[in-house]
Amino acid sequence: MYTLALDHFEKNDPILFEVSKNTEPFELEIHPYPFIRLLRSIVGQQLSVKAASTIFGRFENLFENKNITPTGLLKITDDNLRSAGISYQKISYLKDFANKIVDGEVVLEKFALLENEEVIVELTKIKGVGRWTAEMYLMSTLARPDIFSYGDLGLQNAIKKHYGMKNKPTIKQMEKLSKKWSPFRTYAARILWKSLENNPI
């Protein structure tokens, strides 16, 4: 599908197509462990990638054989979770998520059958999960090809840079631009993020 996305960008947005030339080809893949993936997203909120990875490693070590499960998480004391570097606020989010899984209020396995906005509604039932986290989940866990996060700072910066804007783009500007990329907006987002790694602002 990456090749189809590039063909689409070449026809509809030469700027993005040019940016894509510095990106290694990739494909979207459904993540095999959605519960763990969302836990990691919650742990990593407002942290650098490096800090989030370190803290999640400590979190993982709290489980026997690193086998992370909802019931196992609920058995770990808040103090032990705090000792791994997780704030008490995030601990409340993690445990709310685990409780909702155990109680059957949130069923991750059924998300494959739901539309994007329906998934967002389900995910935002979880304490501490907002639209941005839900959009990241759609992109990286469910591998939905046509998602774009207008609230993402990195995407705003990348658009400002590559499209010669003096200020960060407004939501209206981003919506107008991203229409050119549909139905491959997730690919566009990944290319734009990658462009910041290659040429930091």
Side-chain angles (χ1 to χ4, degrees):
M1 195 177 282
Y2 182 75
T3 304
L4 292 176
L6 287 192
D7 288 345
H8 181 82
F9 301 151
E10 186 175 17
K11 290 172 189 170
N12 294 280
D13 189 345
I15 292 174
L16 184 65
F17 180 69
E18 199 61 32
V19 174
S20 75
K21 290 180 180 178
N22 295 315
T23 305
E24 288 291 323
F26 61 88
E27 290 299 342
L28 304 178
E29 295 180 356
I30 295 173
H31 198 277
Y33 304 110
F35 175 70
I36 295 172
R37 188 75 167 201
L38 190 54
L39 285 179
R40 190 165 190 140
S41 291
I42 294 169
V43 168
Q45 285 174 355
Q46 298 177 317
L47 295 176
S48 70
V49 173
K50 185 177 179 182
S53 183
T54 299
I55 291 171
F56 195 81
R58 293 183 199 138
F59 169 75
E60 198 175 35
N61 286 331
L62 296 173
F63 295 81
E64 189 174 349
N65 300 320
K66 298 185 177 181
N67 182 29
I68 301 172
T69 64
T71 51
L73 173 54
L74 293 172
K75 289 176 183 175
I76 298 173
T77 66
D78 289 3
D79 286 344
N80 280 343
L81 289 166
R82 183 70 192 97
S83 70
I86 302 170
S87 69
Y88 283 116
Q89 185 178 44
K90 284 185 184 175
I91 289 167
S92 73
Y93 298 165
L94 296 175
K95 292 205 166 179
D96 180 71
F97 178 31
N99 271 314
K100 283 184 167 63
I101 293 292
V102 170
D103 293 344
E105 189 176 337
V106 172
V107 182
L108 298 177
E109 291 75 17
K110 77 174 184 181
F111 285 5
L113 304 174
L114 300 181
E115 296 294 327
N116 295 333
E117 285 300 322
E118 292 174 320
V119 173
I120 290 171
V121 168
E122 288 295 307
L123 284 174
T124 52
K125 289 178 182 176
I126 301 162
K127 195 175 173 185
V129 173
R131 187 174 183 92
W132 179 85
T133 302
E135 288 165 343
M136 297 305 110
Y137 186 91
L138 284 165
M139 288 185 186
S140 62
T141 304
L142 295 181
R144 299 288 172 90
D146 197 31
I147 303 295
F148 200 81
S149 182
Y150 302 116
D152 186 87
L153 186 59
L155 294 177
Q156 292 171 8
N157 284 334
I159 288 171
K160 177 187 172 188
K161 174 185 176 182
H162 295 299
Y163 291 83
M165 297 181 178
K166 290 184 179 178
N167 301 307
K168 283 181 186 170
T170 64
I171 289 177
K172 277 190 175 182
Q173 286 173 317
M174 294 174 82
E175 284 176 342
K176 184 178 179 181
L177 191 56
S178 71
K179 279 181 183 176
K180 296 181 182 181
W181 307 330
S182 189
F184 301 107
R185 286 178 291 180
T186 300
Y187 287 89
R190 289 273 297 268
I191 288 166
L192 290 168
W193 278 320
K194 197 69 181 173
S195 76
L196 295 182
E197 292 176 26
N198 296 334
N199 298 289
I201 290 174

